[in-house]
Amino acid sequence: MQWEIVIGLEIHAQLTTASKIFSGSATTFGAEPNTQASLVDLGMPGSLPVLNALAVKNAIKFGLAVDAEIGMTNVFARKNYFYPDLPKGYQISQMELPIVGKGHLDITLEDGTVKRVGITRAHLEEDAGKSLHEDFHGMTGIDLNRAGTPLLEIVSEPDMRSAKEAVAYAKTIHSLVRYLGICDGNMAEGSLRCDCNVSVRPKGQTEFGTRCEIKNVNSFRFIEKAINHEVQRQIDLIEDGGAVVQETRLYDPNKDVTRSMRSKEEANDYRYFPDPDLLPVVIEPAFIEAVRGELPELPAQKRERFESQFGLSAYDASVLSAQRELADYFEQVQQSCGDAKLAANWVMGELSSLLNKADLEIDQSPVSATQLGGLIQRIQDNTISGKIAKMVFEALANGEGDSADAIIEAKGLKQVTDSGAIEAMLDEVLAANAAQVEQYRASDEAKRGKMFGFFVGQAMKASKGKANPQQVNELLKKKLEG
């Protein structure tokens, strides 16, 4: 039997506010346990929540970016359940009247095709605390620093049909919230987490299969692996005569398996009701338009501009616009050197390789955009060859000089363009390889190409890479065939 995979994602994006969604407690990551929890966060009797206006504004930004309906009147509700790290016994969330309604997001797949994924809603809610097990033998510690941290839960339609589509969607959301500046996207610190709802059904069937939710997956690689494992588990189960049970599961990356966590609750199990301590949030149209006016150029708009303004390929524009910081860096290099294609090649080539090897982000680059732009200028005006440029780039990365010019001068790397000097050097190379010269001249045209490369290599080696490659090629050809 052929199976179709059905995937919907719930992404929890931690909003970049200095304080929590209903209290003045800080949201700084890594603080000592229980040093950032107030009476409101602990749900102490008599304490009242006060809504953080910036969380509302950030949610509206997201809604506008995905062409969604903005809930002009949205309501906070109590989602009742008990966990040790949720001392109130309920989580303040939104249910029937969320702040962001239906919208959509276009994602680019690996083969270059674009797919539209529906967004069901995005609602504001508070995070819970965290249970600690490692340092408490036979007991559990509770850290309530995260309790009350503002989250935007982004719920997609079940529109994805493979793990790779799910990853493409998650990456697009990650890029978007970072562009908007509403979430830092740090998945290792839990700033962006994903619940994956997965089911399978016979191909051609319209009715959905029973879904399982894989909770709190915090890397793109794990999203793909967890979904692929869960899909195969469900197919094996059904084909062996069993039935999928609706439940919440956890992904174990060490064993590459999902395992049961708890039965999946339905909405009515949570006994949602409007929070009596929080008034409905009424948003004026003028406020929405003011927020719209603050939106930055978004990834899709930037990608299109890179193609039309700079003539970049769709692939190059897509890579360079994926991260706002990378796009800004590229544009600074382009402005400095005036050549978008060379700038793109260096940013996507040598610079990206350097950052990947050193596990650095673009804002930690040891080579600034101005320095790289200056280096490319020296390639453009023939001061250095492309090969020498890589040496200068490495020297810049190692902090051996403030600019490409300083390094070129200090190391004596200026390109040799004196025809007389190059000819003299070529004469020495040909004399030292007389047998190969005879062999070249006795060969037919088909064999000469590879042999010609040998002489070019010897010439560049003799000049320590400083001879102008174009002149070497032209003069060498004349000497060998003249």
Side-chain angles (χ1 to χ4, degrees), residues 61-97:
K61 280 186 180 178
F62 177 80
L64 294 174
V66 295
D67 286 331
E69 305 160 4
I70 304 298
M72 307 300 280
T73 299
N74 56 94
V75 173
F76 283 96
R78 290 186 178 181
K79 182 181 181 182
N80 294 277
Y81 61 105
F82 178 76
Y83 287 127
D85 49 16
L86 190 68
K88 290 198 291 268
Y90 61 86
Q91 177 190 29
I92 301 178
S93 182
Q94 296 185 320
M95 180 60 183
E96 293 182 352
L97 295 171

PDB file of all heavy atoms in Angstrom, residues 61-97:
ATOM      1  N   LYS A  61       3.107  42.189  14.457  1.00  0.00           N
ATOM      2  CA  LYS A  61       4.125  42.209  13.386  1.00  0.00           C
ATOM      3  C   LYS A  61       4.132  40.886  12.642  1.00  0.00           C
ATOM      4  O   LYS A  61       4.167  40.845  11.408  1.00  0.00           O
ATOM      5  CB  LYS A  61       5.526  42.459  13.992  1.00  0.00           C
ATOM      6  CG  LYS A  61       5.825  43.896  14.311  1.00  0.00           C
ATOM      7  CD  LYS A  61       7.284  44.023  14.771  1.00  0.00           C
ATOM      8  CE  LYS A  61       7.622  45.464  15.093  1.00  0.00           C
ATOM      9  NZ  LYS A  61       9.009  45.596  15.578  1.00  0.00           N
ATOM     10  N   PHE A  62       4.119  39.798  13.413  1.00  0.00           N
ATOM     11  CA  PHE A  62       4.134  38.479  12.763  1.00  0.00           C
ATOM     12  C   PHE A  62       2.884  38.301  11.909  1.00  0.00           C
ATOM     13  O   PHE A  62       2.958  37.840  10.769  1.00  0.00           O
ATOM     14  CB  PHE A  62       4.232  37.366  13.811  1.00  0.00           C
ATOM     15  CG  PHE A  62       4.170  36.000  13.190  1.00  0.00           C
ATOM     16  CD1 PHE A  62       5.294  35.443  12.600  1.00  0.00           C
ATOM     17  CD2 PHE A  62       2.974  35.279  13.148  1.00  0.00           C
ATOM     18  CE1 PHE A  62       5.237  34.197  11.985  1.00  0.00           C
ATOM     19  CE2 PHE A  62       2.908  34.042  12.531  1.00  0.00           C
ATOM     20  CZ  PHE A  62       4.038  33.497  11.961  1.00  0.00           C
ATOM     21  N   GLY A  63       1.730  38.656  12.474  1.00  0.00           N
ATOM     22  CA  GLY A  63       0.475  38.495  11.735  1.00  0.00           C
ATOM     23  C   GLY A  63       0.479  39.249  10.418  1.00  0.00           C
ATOM     24  O   GLY A  63       0.042  38.722   9.383  1.00  0.00           O
ATOM     25  N   LEU A  64       0.984  40.469  10.431  1.00  0.00           N
ATOM     26  CA  LEU A  64       1.031  41.263   9.201  1.00  0.00           C
ATOM     27  C   LEU A  64       1.992  40.643   8.188  1.00  0.00           C
ATOM     28  O   LEU A  64       1.744  40.679   6.975  1.00  0.00           O
ATOM     29  CB  LEU A  64       1.450  42.697   9.526  1.00  0.00           C
ATOM     30  CG  LEU A  64       0.458  43.510  10.373  1.00  0.00           C
ATOM     31  CD1 LEU A  64       1.057  44.861  10.733  1.00  0.00           C
ATOM     32  CD2 LEU A  64      -0.867  43.697   9.635  1.00  0.00           C
ATOM     33  N   ALA A  65       3.090  40.061   8.683  1.00  0.00           N
ATOM     34  CA  ALA A  65       4.106  39.486   7.786  1.00  0.00           C
ATOM     35  C   ALA A  65       3.605  38.235   7.074  1.00  0.00           C
ATOM     36  O   ALA A  65       4.145  37.862   6.038  1.00  0.00           O
ATOM     37  CB  ALA A  65       5.377  39.167   8.573  1.00  0.00           C
ATOM     38  N   VAL A  66       2.603  37.563   7.631  1.00  0.00           N
ATOM     39  CA  VAL A  66       2.078  36.350   6.988  1.00  0.00           C
ATOM     40  C   VAL A  66       0.666  36.590   6.426  1.00  0.00           C
ATOM     41  O   VAL A  66      -0.089  35.651   6.210  1.00  0.00           O
ATOM     42  CB  VAL A  66       2.088  35.138   7.955  1.00  0.00           C
ATOM     43  CG1 VAL A  66       3.511  34.777   8.328  1.00  0.00           C
ATOM     44  CG2 VAL A  66       1.247  35.405   9.207  1.00  0.00           C
ATOM     45  N   ASP A  67       0.356  37.863   6.202  1.00  0.00           N
ATOM     46  CA  ASP A  67      -0.946  38.237   5.618  1.00  0.00           C
ATOM     47  C   ASP A  67      -2.118  37.646   6.391  1.00  0.00           C
ATOM     48  O   ASP A  67      -3.084  37.143   5.804  1.00  0.00           O
ATOM     49  CB  ASP A  67      -1.037  37.779   4.149  1.00  0.00           C
ATOM     50  CG  ASP A  67      -0.200  38.654   3.245  1.00  0.00           C
ATOM     51  OD1 ASP A  67      -0.027  39.838   3.584  1.00  0.00           O
ATOM     52  OD2 ASP A  67       0.305  38.137   2.228  1.00  0.00           O
ATOM     53  N   ALA A  68      -2.024  37.677   7.688  1.00  0.00           N
ATOM     54  CA  ALA A  68      -3.065  37.062   8.513  1.00  0.00           C
ATOM     55  C   ALA A  68      -4.087  38.091   8.980  1.00  0.00           C
ATOM     56  O   ALA A  68      -3.836  39.302   8.980  1.00  0.00           O
ATOM     57  CB  ALA A  68      -2.433  36.382   9.729  1.00  0.00           C
ATOM     58  N   GLU A  69      -5.241  37.569   9.390  1.00  0.00           N
ATOM     59  CA  GLU A  69      -6.247  38.414  10.024  1.00  0.00           C
ATOM     60  C   GLU A  69      -5.745  38.739  11.433  1.00  0.00           C
ATOM     61  O   GLU A  69      -5.259  37.862  12.138  1.00  0.00           O
ATOM     62  CB  GLU A  69      -7.571  37.653  10.127  1.00  0.00           C
ATOM     63  CG  GLU A  69      -8.081  37.116   8.803  1.00  0.00           C
ATOM     64  CD  GLU A  69      -9.098  35.988   8.992  1.00  0.00           C
ATOM     65  OE1 GLU A  69      -9.456  35.695  10.157  1.00  0.00           O
ATOM     66  OE2 GLU A  69      -9.501  35.404   7.986  1.00  0.00           O
ATOM     67  N   ILE A  70      -5.847  40.009  11.819  1.00  0.00           N
ATOM     68  CA  ILE A  70      -5.476  40.397  13.186  1.00  0.00           C
ATOM     69  C   ILE A  70      -6.758  40.443  14.025  1.00  0.00           C
ATOM     70  O   ILE A  70      -7.741  41.067  13.618  1.00  0.00           O
ATOM     71  CB  ILE A  70      -4.792  41.781  13.218  1.00  0.00           C
ATOM     72  CG1 ILE A  70      -3.564  41.788  12.291  1.00  0.00           C
ATOM     73  CG2 ILE A  70      -4.402  42.148  14.650  1.00  0.00           C
ATOM     74  CD1 ILE A  70      -2.475  40.813  12.663  1.00  0.00           C
ATOM     75  N   GLY A  71      -6.741  39.760  15.148  1.00  0.00           N
ATOM     76  CA  GLY A  71      -7.909  39.747  16.026  1.00  0.00           C
ATOM     77  C   GLY A  71      -8.089  41.103  16.693  1.00  0.00           C
ATOM     78  O   GLY A  71      -7.357  41.428  17.629  1.00  0.00           O
ATOM     79  N   MET A  72      -9.030  41.896  16.197  1.00  0.00           N
ATOM     80  CA  MET A  72      -9.212  43.249  16.733  1.00  0.00           C
ATOM     81  C   MET A  72      -9.629  43.209  18.198  1.00  0.00           C
ATOM     82  O   MET A  72      -9.352  44.121  18.962  1.00  0.00           O
ATOM     83  CB  MET A  72     -10.270  43.998  15.905  1.00  0.00           C
ATOM     84  CG  MET A  72      -9.993  43.999  14.406  1.00  0.00           C
ATOM     85  SD  MET A  72      -8.414  44.774  14.000  1.00  0.00           S
ATOM     86  CE  MET A  72      -8.881  46.489  14.084  1.00  0.00           C
ATOM     87  N   THR A  73     -10.330  42.144  18.583  1.00  0.00           N
ATOM     88  CA  THR A  73     -10.607  41.899  19.998  1.00  0.00           C
ATOM     89  C   THR A  73     -10.159  40.472  20.285  1.00  0.00           C
ATOM     90  O   THR A  73     -10.716  39.521  19.735  1.00  0.00           O
ATOM     91  CB  THR A  73     -12.116  42.028  20.305  1.00  0.00           C
ATOM     92  OG1 THR A  73     -12.528  43.358  19.989  1.00  0.00           O
ATOM     93  CG2 THR A  73     -12.385  41.753  21.775  1.00  0.00           C
ATOM     94  N   ASN A  74      -9.111  40.343  21.070  1.00  0.00           N
ATOM     95  CA  ASN A  74      -8.643  39.002  21.395  1.00  0.00           C
ATOM     96  C   ASN A  74      -8.644  38.810  22.905  1.00  0.00           C
ATOM     97  O   ASN A  74      -8.513  39.776  23.660  1.00  0.00           O
ATOM     98  CB  ASN A  74      -7.295  38.708  20.752  1.00  0.00           C
ATOM     99  CG  ASN A  74      -6.217  39.704  21.111  1.00  0.00           C
ATOM    100  OD1 ASN A  74      -5.458  39.477  22.046  1.00  0.00           O
ATOM    101  ND2 ASN A  74      -6.167  40.839  20.398  1.00  0.00           N
ATOM    102  N   VAL A  75      -8.794  37.551  23.298  1.00  0.00           N
ATOM    103  CA  VAL A  75      -9.088  37.255  24.700  1.00  0.00           C
ATOM    104  C   VAL A  75      -8.102  36.222  25.245  1.00  0.00           C
ATOM    105  O   VAL A  75      -7.783  35.240  24.568  1.00  0.00           O
ATOM    106  CB  VAL A  75     -10.531  36.709  24.820  1.00  0.00           C
ATOM    107  CG1 VAL A  75     -10.813  36.220  26.244  1.00  0.00           C
ATOM    108  CG2 VAL A  75     -11.535  37.781  24.408  1.00  0.00           C
ATOM    109  N   PHE A  76      -7.633  36.460  26.469  1.00  0.00           N
ATOM    110  CA  PHE A  76      -6.784  35.471  27.143  1.00  0.00           C
ATOM    111  C   PHE A  76      -7.662  34.500  27.924  1.00  0.00           C
ATOM    112  O   PHE A  76      -8.671  34.906  28.535  1.00  0.00           O
ATOM    113  CB  PHE A  76      -5.796  36.162  28.079  1.00  0.00           C
ATOM    114  CG  PHE A  76      -4.649  36.787  27.338  1.00  0.00           C
ATOM    115  CD1 PHE A  76      -4.677  38.144  27.004  1.00  0.00           C
ATOM    116  CD2 PHE A  76      -3.575  36.020  26.927  1.00  0.00           C
ATOM    117  CE1 PHE A  76      -3.633  38.710  26.292  1.00  0.00           C
ATOM    118  CE2 PHE A  76      -2.522  36.590  26.215  1.00  0.00           C
ATOM    119  CZ  PHE A  76      -2.552  37.938  25.901  1.00  0.00           C
ATOM    120  N   ALA A  77      -7.270  33.226  27.869  1.00  0.00           N
ATOM    121  CA  ALA A  77      -8.047  32.185  28.538  1.00  0.00           C
ATOM    122  C   ALA A  77      -7.136  31.383  29.477  1.00  0.00           C
ATOM    123  O   ALA A  77      -5.912  31.385  29.336  1.00  0.00           O
ATOM    124  CB  ALA A  77      -8.668  31.254  27.498  1.00  0.00           C
ATOM    125  N   ARG A  78      -7.754  30.744  30.435  1.00  0.00           N
ATOM    126  CA  ARG A  78      -6.996  29.850  31.315  1.00  0.00           C
ATOM    127  C   ARG A  78      -7.078  28.430  30.749  1.00  0.00           C
ATOM    128  O   ARG A  78      -8.167  27.909  30.525  1.00  0.00           O
ATOM    129  CB  ARG A  78      -7.563  29.893  32.734  1.00  0.00           C
ATOM    130  CG  ARG A  78      -7.290  31.220  33.418  1.00  0.00           C
ATOM    131  CD  ARG A  78      -7.718  31.204  34.875  1.00  0.00           C
ATOM    132  NE  ARG A  78      -7.398  32.472  35.514  1.00  0.00           N
ATOM    133  CZ  ARG A  78      -7.644  32.743  36.804  1.00  0.00           C
ATOM    134  NH1 ARG A  78      -8.236  31.825  37.577  1.00  0.00           N
ATOM    135  NH2 ARG A  78      -7.318  33.911  37.308  1.00  0.00           N
ATOM    136  N   LYS A  79      -5.903  27.827  30.543  1.00  0.00           N
ATOM    137  CA  LYS A  79      -5.804  26.447  30.067  1.00  0.00           C
ATOM    138  C   LYS A  79      -5.449  25.619  31.297  1.00  0.00           C
ATOM    139  O   LYS A  79      -4.310  25.648  31.770  1.00  0.00           O
ATOM    140  CB  LYS A  79      -4.708  26.374  28.991  1.00  0.00           C
ATOM    141  CG  LYS A  79      -4.517  25.013  28.355  1.00  0.00           C
ATOM    142  CD  LYS A  79      -3.375  25.102  27.328  1.00  0.00           C
ATOM    143  CE  LYS A  79      -3.147  23.779  26.638  1.00  0.00           C
ATOM    144  NZ  LYS A  79      -2.011  23.845  25.687  1.00  0.00           N
ATOM    145  N   ASN A  80      -6.414  24.909  31.813  1.00  0.00           N
ATOM    146  CA  ASN A  80      -6.246  24.280  33.129  1.00  0.00           C
ATOM    147  C   ASN A  80      -5.587  22.907  33.033  1.00  0.00           C
ATOM    148  O   ASN A  80      -6.103  22.001  32.379  1.00  0.00           O
ATOM    149  CB  ASN A  80      -7.619  24.124  33.794  1.00  0.00           C
ATOM    150  CG  ASN A  80      -8.226  25.458  34.120  1.00  0.00           C
ATOM    151  OD1 ASN A  80      -7.936  26.069  35.135  1.00  0.00           O
ATOM    152  ND2 ASN A  80      -9.083  25.953  33.208  1.00  0.00           N
ATOM    153  N   TYR A  81      -4.465  22.778  33.655  1.00  0.00           N
ATOM    154  CA  TYR A  81      -3.830  21.461  33.851  1.00  0.00           C
ATOM    155  C   TYR A  81      -2.751  21.622  34.898  1.00  0.00           C
ATOM    156  O   TYR A  81      -2.315  22.742  35.189  1.00  0.00           O
ATOM    157  CB  TYR A  81      -3.265  20.887  32.559  1.00  0.00           C
ATOM    158  CG  TYR A  81      -2.180  21.672  31.869  1.00  0.00           C
ATOM    159  CD1 TYR A  81      -0.852  21.257  31.920  1.00  0.00           C
ATOM    160  CD2 TYR A  81      -2.486  22.819  31.115  1.00  0.00           C
ATOM    161  CE1 TYR A  81       0.139  21.957  31.258  1.00  0.00           C
ATOM    162  CE2 TYR A  81      -1.501  23.515  30.454  1.00  0.00           C
ATOM    163  CZ  TYR A  81      -0.192  23.086  30.529  1.00  0.00           C
ATOM    164  OH  TYR A  81       0.789  23.777  29.882  1.00  0.00           O
ATOM    165  N   PHE A  82      -2.355  20.528  35.494  1.00  0.00           N
ATOM    166  CA  PHE A  82      -1.368  20.626  36.570  1.00  0.00           C
ATOM    167  C   PHE A  82      -0.064  19.936  36.196  1.00  0.00           C
ATOM    168  O   PHE A  82      -0.054  18.771  35.813  1.00  0.00           O
ATOM    169  CB  PHE A  82      -1.887  20.006  37.867  1.00  0.00           C
ATOM    170  CG  PHE A  82      -0.850  20.054  38.956  1.00  0.00           C
ATOM    171  CD1 PHE A  82      -0.589  21.237  39.616  1.00  0.00           C
ATOM    172  CD2 PHE A  82      -0.089  18.933  39.270  1.00  0.00           C
ATOM    173  CE1 PHE A  82       0.419  21.314  40.581  1.00  0.00           C
ATOM    174  CE2 PHE A  82       0.912  19.002  40.230  1.00  0.00           C
ATOM    175  CZ  PHE A  82       1.148  20.191  40.894  1.00  0.00           C
ATOM    176  N   TYR A  83       1.004  20.703  36.265  1.00  0.00           N
ATOM    177  CA  TYR A  83       2.354  20.158  36.206  1.00  0.00           C
ATOM    178  C   TYR A  83       3.134  20.815  37.326  1.00  0.00           C
ATOM    179  O   TYR A  83       2.819  21.951  37.735  1.00  0.00           O
ATOM    180  CB  TYR A  83       3.033  20.457  34.868  1.00  0.00           C
ATOM    181  CG  TYR A  83       2.491  19.654  33.722  1.00  0.00           C
ATOM    182  CD1 TYR A  83       2.055  20.279  32.561  1.00  0.00           C
ATOM    183  CD2 TYR A  83       2.412  18.267  33.792  1.00  0.00           C
ATOM    184  CE1 TYR A  83       1.549  19.552  31.505  1.00  0.00           C
ATOM    185  CE2 TYR A  83       1.901  17.535  32.740  1.00  0.00           C
ATOM    186  CZ  TYR A  83       1.469  18.172  31.601  1.00  0.00           C
ATOM    187  OH  TYR A  83       0.967  17.468  30.568  1.00  0.00           O
ATOM    188  N   PRO A  84       4.156  20.137  37.861  1.00  0.00           N
ATOM    189  CA  PRO A  84       4.925  20.722  38.970  1.00  0.00           C
ATOM    190  C   PRO A  84       5.522  22.082  38.618  1.00  0.00           C
ATOM    191  O   PRO A  84       5.685  22.931  39.497  1.00  0.00           O
ATOM    192  CB  PRO A  84       6.028  19.691  39.227  1.00  0.00           C
ATOM    193  CG  PRO A  84       5.476  18.411  38.713  1.00  0.00           C
ATOM    194  CD  PRO A  84       4.610  18.777  37.550  1.00  0.00           C
ATOM    195  N   ASP A  85       5.845  22.274  37.325  1.00  0.00           N
ATOM    196  CA  ASP A  85       6.488  23.536  36.944  1.00  0.00           C
ATOM    197  C   ASP A  85       5.461  24.588  36.509  1.00  0.00           C
ATOM    198  O   ASP A  85       5.812  25.580  35.873  1.00  0.00           O
ATOM    199  CB  ASP A  85       7.528  23.305  35.837  1.00  0.00           C
ATOM    200  CG  ASP A  85       6.979  22.474  34.693  1.00  0.00           C
ATOM    201  OD1 ASP A  85       5.743  22.346  34.615  1.00  0.00           O
ATOM    202  OD2 ASP A  85       7.792  21.963  33.897  1.00  0.00           O
ATOM    203  N   LEU A  86       4.195  24.360  36.831  1.00  0.00           N
ATOM    204  CA  LEU A  86       3.132  25.319  36.521  1.00  0.00           C
ATOM    205  C   LEU A  86       2.346  25.559  37.818  1.00  0.00           C
ATOM    206  O   LEU A  86       1.258  24.998  38.012  1.00  0.00           O
ATOM    207  CB  LEU A  86       2.218  24.751  35.432  1.00  0.00           C
ATOM    208  CG  LEU A  86       1.193  25.692  34.819  1.00  0.00           C
ATOM    209  CD1 LEU A  86       1.868  26.780  34.004  1.00  0.00           C
ATOM    210  CD2 LEU A  86       0.231  24.903  33.928  1.00  0.00           C
ATOM    211  N   PRO A  87       2.890  26.356  38.731  1.00  0.00           N
ATOM    212  CA  PRO A  87       2.321  26.425  40.093  1.00  0.00           C
ATOM    213  C   PRO A  87       0.898  26.962  40.154  1.00  0.00           C
ATOM    214  O   PRO A  87       0.175  26.666  41.103  1.00  0.00           O
ATOM    215  CB  PRO A  87       3.296  27.358  40.829  1.00  0.00           C
ATOM    216  CG  PRO A  87       4.024  28.106  39.776  1.00  0.00           C
ATOM    217  CD  PRO A  87       4.102  27.193  38.600  1.00  0.00           C
ATOM    218  N   LYS A  88       0.468  27.742  39.166  1.00  0.00           N
ATOM    219  CA  LYS A  88      -0.904  28.265  39.210  1.00  0.00           C
ATOM    220  C   LYS A  88      -1.943  27.170  38.978  1.00  0.00           C
ATOM    221  O   LYS A  88      -3.096  27.316  39.334  1.00  0.00           O
ATOM    222  CB  LYS A  88      -1.090  29.343  38.131  1.00  0.00           C
ATOM    223  CG  LYS A  88      -0.352  30.644  38.400  1.00  0.00           C
ATOM    224  CD  LYS A  88      -0.918  31.771  37.549  1.00  0.00           C
ATOM    225  CE  LYS A  88      -0.616  31.614  36.087  1.00  0.00           C
ATOM    226  NZ  LYS A  88       0.606  32.280  35.660  1.00  0.00           N
ATOM    227  N   GLY A  89      -1.516  26.081  38.321  1.00  0.00           N
ATOM    228  CA  GLY A  89      -2.476  25.047  37.954  1.00  0.00           C
ATOM    229  C   GLY A  89      -3.156  25.354  36.633  1.00  0.00           C
ATOM    230  O   GLY A  89      -4.017  24.602  36.176  1.00  0.00           O
ATOM    231  N   TYR A  90      -2.775  26.442  35.998  1.00  0.00           N
ATOM    232  CA  TYR A  90      -3.294  26.767  34.664  1.00  0.00           C
ATOM    233  C   TYR A  90      -2.259  27.632  33.951  1.00  0.00           C
ATOM    234  O   TYR A  90      -1.422  28.276  34.586  1.00  0.00           O
ATOM    235  CB  TYR A  90      -4.641  27.502  34.738  1.00  0.00           C
ATOM    236  CG  TYR A  90      -4.597  28.833  35.461  1.00  0.00           C
ATOM    237  CD1 TYR A  90      -4.247  30.005  34.802  1.00  0.00           C
ATOM    238  CD2 TYR A  90      -4.912  28.910  36.827  1.00  0.00           C
ATOM    239  CE1 TYR A  90      -4.197  31.218  35.464  1.00  0.00           C
ATOM    240  CE2 TYR A  90      -4.864  30.120  37.497  1.00  0.00           C
ATOM    241  CZ  TYR A  90      -4.513  31.272  36.815  1.00  0.00           C
ATOM    242  OH  TYR A  90      -4.441  32.471  37.477  1.00  0.00           O
ATOM    243  N   GLN A  91      -2.334  27.602  32.637  1.00  0.00           N
ATOM    244  CA  GLN A  91      -1.467  28.432  31.793  1.00  0.00           C
ATOM    245  C   GLN A  91      -2.342  29.500  31.144  1.00  0.00           C
ATOM    246  O   GLN A  91      -3.431  29.179  30.647  1.00  0.00           O
ATOM    247  CB  GLN A  91      -0.831  27.563  30.703  1.00  0.00           C
ATOM    248  CG  GLN A  91       0.039  28.315  29.710  1.00  0.00           C
ATOM    249  CD  GLN A  91       0.446  27.427  28.517  1.00  0.00           C
ATOM    250  OE1 GLN A  91      -0.288  26.509  28.153  1.00  0.00           O
ATOM    251  NE2 GLN A  91       1.593  27.712  27.941  1.00  0.00           N
ATOM    252  N   ILE A  92      -1.892  30.754  31.183  1.00  0.00           N
ATOM    253  CA  ILE A  92      -2.652  31.801  30.488  1.00  0.00           C
ATOM    254  C   ILE A  92      -2.279  31.747  29.008  1.00  0.00           C
ATOM    255  O   ILE A  92      -1.102  31.875  28.639  1.00  0.00           O
ATOM    256  CB  ILE A  92      -2.355  33.193  31.055  1.00  0.00           C
ATOM    257  CG1 ILE A  92      -2.696  33.237  32.551  1.00  0.00           C
ATOM    258  CG2 ILE A  92      -3.166  34.251  30.307  1.00  0.00           C
ATOM    259  CD1 ILE A  92      -2.385  34.570  33.215  1.00  0.00           C
ATOM    260  N   SER A  93      -3.293  31.507  28.189  1.00  0.00           N
ATOM    261  CA  SER A  93      -3.083  31.334  26.752  1.00  0.00           C
ATOM    262  C   SER A  93      -4.259  32.003  26.023  1.00  0.00           C
ATOM    263  O   SER A  93      -5.011  32.757  26.628  1.00  0.00           O
ATOM    264  CB  SER A  93      -3.009  29.829  26.442  1.00  0.00           C
ATOM    265  OG  SER A  93      -2.772  29.610  25.078  1.00  0.00           O
ATOM    266  N   GLN A  94      -4.390  31.733  24.744  1.00  0.00           N
ATOM    267  CA  GLN A  94      -5.556  32.204  23.994  1.00  0.00           C
ATOM    268  C   GLN A  94      -6.156  31.012  23.276  1.00  0.00           C
ATOM    269  O   GLN A  94      -5.429  30.107  22.861  1.00  0.00           O
ATOM    270  CB  GLN A  94      -5.164  33.300  22.988  1.00  0.00           C
ATOM    271  CG  GLN A  94      -4.643  34.553  23.655  1.00  0.00           C
ATOM    272  CD  GLN A  94      -4.360  35.681  22.660  1.00  0.00           C
ATOM    273  OE1 GLN A  94      -3.850  35.453  21.574  1.00  0.00           O
ATOM    274  NE2 GLN A  94      -4.695  36.909  23.061  1.00  0.00           N
ATOM    275  N   MET A  95      -7.462  30.998  23.119  1.00  0.00           N
ATOM    276  CA  MET A  95      -8.103  29.845  22.489  1.00  0.00           C
ATOM    277  C   MET A  95      -9.018  30.276  21.357  1.00  0.00           C
ATOM    278  O   MET A  95      -8.636  30.292  20.206  1.00  0.00           O
ATOM    279  CB  MET A  95      -8.865  29.046  23.555  1.00  0.00           C
ATOM    280  CG  MET A  95      -9.582  27.826  23.022  1.00  0.00           C
ATOM    281  SD  MET A  95      -8.430  26.661  22.267  1.00  0.00           S
ATOM    282  CE  MET A  95      -9.577  25.424  21.682  1.00  0.00           C
ATOM    283  N   GLU A  96     -10.232  30.696  21.683  1.00  0.00           N
ATOM    284  CA  GLU A  96     -11.211  30.972  20.636  1.00  0.00           C
ATOM    285  C   GLU A  96     -10.961  32.293  19.915  1.00  0.00           C
ATOM    286  O   GLU A  96     -11.309  32.439  18.752  1.00  0.00           O
ATOM    287  CB  GLU A  96     -12.622  30.965  21.238  1.00  0.00           C
ATOM    288  CG  GLU A  96     -13.041  29.567  21.712  1.00  0.00           C
ATOM    289  CD  GLU A  96     -14.448  29.562  22.258  1.00  0.00           C
ATOM    290  OE1 GLU A  96     -15.018  30.652  22.403  1.00  0.00           O
ATOM    291  OE2 GLU A  96     -14.961  28.473  22.557  1.00  0.00           O
ATOM    292  N   LEU A  97     -10.380  33.260  20.619  1.00  0.00           N
ATOM    293  CA  LEU A  97     -10.142  34.569  20.012  1.00  0.00           C
ATOM    294  C   LEU A  97      -8.661  34.921  20.105  1.00  0.00           C
ATOM    295  O   LEU A  97      -8.234  35.711  20.941  1.00  0.00           O
ATOM    296  CB  LEU A  97     -11.006  35.635  20.706  1.00  0.00           C
ATOM    297  CG  LEU A  97     -12.519  35.481  20.538  1.00  0.00           C
ATOM    298  CD1 LEU A  97     -13.267  36.451  21.445  1.00  0.00           C
ATOM    299  CD2 LEU A  97     -12.913  35.724  19.075  1.00  0.00           C
TER     300      LEU A  97
END
